[in-house]
Amino acid sequence: MDGTDRRQFLRRVAVAASALSTGGLVACRDEVTGAAQASAPPAPPEASAPPASPVTPTPTPPAEAPVTDSILDTEALRGMPWPTPDPFLFCVHHVDGYPAGDDAQGPAASLSGRQIGQDFSGRDGWSMYHGQRVPGFPRHPHRGFETVTVARRGFIDHSDSMGATARYGGGDTQWMTAGAGIVHAEMFPLRDREQPNPVELFQIWLNLPQARKMVRPYFTMLWSGDIPTHRFLDAAGRATTVTTVAGALEGRLPPSPPPDSWGSNPEAELAIWTLELDAGASWTLPAASPGLSRWLYFYGGDSLQVGARTLDAGTRAALRSELATTLTAGARPASVLLLQGRPIGEPVAQYGPFVMNSQSEIQQAFADYRSTGFGGWPWPADDPVHAREQGRFALHPDGRRDVPG
């Protein structure tokens, strides 16, 4: 608690003490949730009842109508990253139409006019990001949170300071707990020499509670064949496909997240789902527990009816988690991302790739990274990629090799 917070806290204590001494009602502010809580002094002893007298009955107020609108609010999505609720920190949707690859698995196209090393231009439908020759993100550190990388199209080559490495794509997901600190690279090899190399991925940052921020780094692969995909048909035979990276649907569980993840806590009710609705298709998103953050990102299509409201493409909608909600696509197929989870409810201090609970912890993260490099970098380059012919695989820090089933 800093000096300002301490003064405010002592002022509230003084006000509360004064109100209690005079028999007043005290409105206390919950320090975590911000919810107003009323507390009152004990009721006085009952006095002798006065003689009965005629009393006009007070009309009973009508019962409040039940809440049926599941939408709490909406917001247009403008650029990246998308806004996210606690327990999420960050979400980007990369869509790049890369050309054919050259001998280095970089784009077989001129890089002239791009700010190499900081190319987020989207020029010609693609960016190099921080890549010099191969697009992607050369080595960089993380501490205090998790990355969930859903590779819908194309390939990602992963390398890290634990000595682990992988190639994944085509619907695979990598779930990585940075914990006390990890350095990794995420490169997008353009393997096809003759045809375009489209890449589409979501990267979602999920916070860790304070008790788990300094755990040992860990990553796991969720291969596409192990991630449940559900296909639902409405009364007209139109399909909705739901892919569940995290969170059960109709009793089917996806592969387990890392052991220290907020998603490993059943009470978190974490869900990361992608939804693809045929044109005109309807599907009902089932209710969950109350009090969850539940956000829909409608990013592809022309319109989406959510309950009684119709959203334009490029809209985020916050939903009441305790209500089931019917979704209906417009004249074109609709693409939707669902993020859901119970808020962690702790302070967040963030500076770039470090996410802690206080600014002093951020300063310590910088000091630790300067002194230890979070384990160093065992690879010969900052942007390593695997051989063109290498298929999907993962080599874990303990030497265990994992391939899709």
Side-chain angles (χ1 to χ4, degrees):
M1 182 181 296
D2 63 24
T4 301
D5 289 342
R6 181 176 176 82
R7 287 194 296 272
Q8 292 174 345
F9 174 75
L10 292 175
R11 188 180 298 118
R12 284 197 292 271
V13 170
V15 170
S18 174
L20 282 171
S21 68
T22 58
L25 183 69
V26 183
C28 298
R29 181 67 56 184
D30 186 300
E31 293 299 313
V32 174
T33 65
Q37 299 179 332
S39 59
E46 292 185 4
S48 300
S53 59
V55 177
T56 303
T58 302
T60 302
E64 292 187 4
V67 175
T68 58
D69 187 355
S70 61
I71 294 183
L72 293 167
D73 68 74
T74 62
E75 178 183 1
L77 299 174
R78 299 181 179 91
M80 294 288 169
W82 291 341
T84 52
D86 183 5
F88 300 96
L89 298 161
F90 175 99
C91 179
V92 291
H93 183 212
H94 289 293
V95 182
D96 290 279
Y98 292 113
D102 62 12
D103 291 344
Q105 300 181 75
S110 172
L111 301 181
S112 176
R114 296 178 182 270
Q115 188 178 351
I116 297 303
Q118 292 285 343
D119 175 33
F120 291 76
S121 65
R123 183 175 179 175
D124 299 325
W126 50 276
S127 299
M128 289 294 291
Y129 302 108
H130 296 311
Q132 300 284 333
R133 184 62 231 153
V134 176
F137 297 86
R139 70 167 174 169
H140 56 281
H142 292 283
R143 171 180 275 187
F145 66 100
E146 299 186 283
T147 57
V148 183
T149 306
V150 183
R152 289 160 64 86
R153 291 187 296 170
F155 294 90
I156 300 174
D157 281 1
H158 163 92
S159 303
D160 67 40
S161 53
M162 299 186 294
T165 188
R167 169 170 283 174
Y168 62 100
D172 301 328
T173 292
Q174 185 201 64
W175 197 319
M176 186 182 77
T177 304
I182 192 171
V183 181
H184 76 147
E186 305 160 285
M187 307 308 299
F188 308 154
L190 309 184
R191 301 172 69 205
D192 197 319
R193 296 176 182 270
E194 306 297 331
Q195 301 295 325
N197 288 272
V199 170
E200 180 189 1
L201 65 94
F202 289 107
Q203 185 162 97
I204 299 156
W205 289 14
L206 174 63
N207 202 6
L208 286 167
Q210 186 174 33
R212 294 287 183 265
K213 283 193 175 291
M214 295 298 287
V215 298
R216 185 176 180 179
Y218 185 98
F219 88 88
T220 189
M221 290 304 311
L222 283 58
W223 301 114
S224 59
D226 299 325
I227 298 173
T229 297
H230 307 255
R231 190 170 185 268
F232 302 94
L233 298 179
D234 63 16
R238 291 171 291 219
T240 297
T241 301
V242 183
T243 302
T244 55
V245 172
L249 177 59
E250 293 200 329
R252 291 179 62 192
L253 282 168
S256 298
D260 290 301
S261 172
W262 185 238
S264 67
N265 177 359
E267 295 181 0
E269 293 189 48
L270 193 80
I272 301 173
W273 298 354
T274 59
L275 288 67
E276 303 291 339
L277 291 81
D278 286 350
S282 289
W283 179 70
T284 299
L285 173 67
S289 297
L292 306 180
S293 298
R294 175 180 263 195
W295 285 20
L296 289 182
Y297 300 83
F298 171 39
Y299 64 91
D302 57 2
S303 66
L304 180 72
Q305 187 172 334
V306 181
R309 300 202 216 177
T310 299
L311 308 182
D312 294 329
T315 302
R316 178 221 26 102
L319 305 182
R320 299 179 191 274
S321 57
E322 69 273 18
L323 296 182
T325 306
T326 299
L327 311 177
T328 304
R332 293 171 49 199
S335 297
V336 180
L337 172 69
L338 168 74
L339 297 181
Q340 172 189 287
R342 189 170 303 283
I344 293 173
E346 295 177 352
V348 173
Q350 179 174 357
Y351 194 98
F354 301 149
V355 182
M356 302 301 290
N357 296 102
S358 68
Q359 288 303 316
S360 63
E361 291 170 332
I362 293 293
Q363 293 169 359
Q364 187 63 51
F366 275 98
D368 291 348
Y369 180 53
R370 284 194 295 267
S371 64
T372 70
F374 292 165
W377 187 248
W379 308 102
D382 289 345
D383 56 352
V385 294
H386 301 294
R388 184 185 306 277
E389 62 275 9
Q390 174 65 60
R392 295 148 59 216
F393 80 104
L395 180 65
H396 295 263
D398 60 3
R400 176 173 53 91
R401 188 177 181 87
D402 185 16
V403 296

